[in-house]
Amino acid sequence: MAKVQVPVPSSVIAAGGLVGGYGVARWTKKRPLGGAVLAVAGAAAAQQWRQRAGRKAAGALTVAYVAAFAGSHPLAKKVGAWPAVLGVAGAVALASWAVADRRA
């Protein structure tokens, strides 16, 4: 029987990169390791964004991904670290789905 592979949606990769990057950094106490998770997931999501929605959309979504990471820091001071990370991850996932995954 043939095995059918379904690609992981870019929205899941992007949200997973934000949540996973924070989780790895927190649990290992090695921020660069968390940054590596964030970067690898961001690059994988950007590749799918480019393939599915074009360069312009991929650029905008990449800016949103980086802005979400940066914005989670001041937001964490107001609502806590995990709620901030989950909130920005959800926002990036929604944007990614709307721009790229919905078309797939």
Side-chain angles (χ1 to χ4, degrees), residues 52 100-104:
R52 293 181 181 171
D101 293 341
R102 178 174 56 144
R103 300 174 188 203

Side-chain angles (χ1 to χ4, degrees), residues 11-90:
S11 54
V12 173
I13 294 169
L18 289 161
V19 173
Y22 174 69
V24 166
R26 181 173 177 149
W27 291 315
T28 65
K29 302 200 184 328
K30 294 183 181 355
R31 293 179 74 176
L33 190 56
V37 171
L38 182 80
V40 168
Q47 182 179 8
Q48 282 194 17
W49 294 331
R50 197 171 28 259
Q51 290 170 349
R52 293 181 181 171
R55 290 187 186 278
K56 196 173 189 181
L61 287 167
T62 300
V63 168
Y65 184 79
V66 173
F69 166 69
S72 69
H73 292 82
L75 183 59
K77 292 179 182 180
K78 296 181 186 236
V79 300
W82 277 113
V85 170
L86 294 173
V88 300

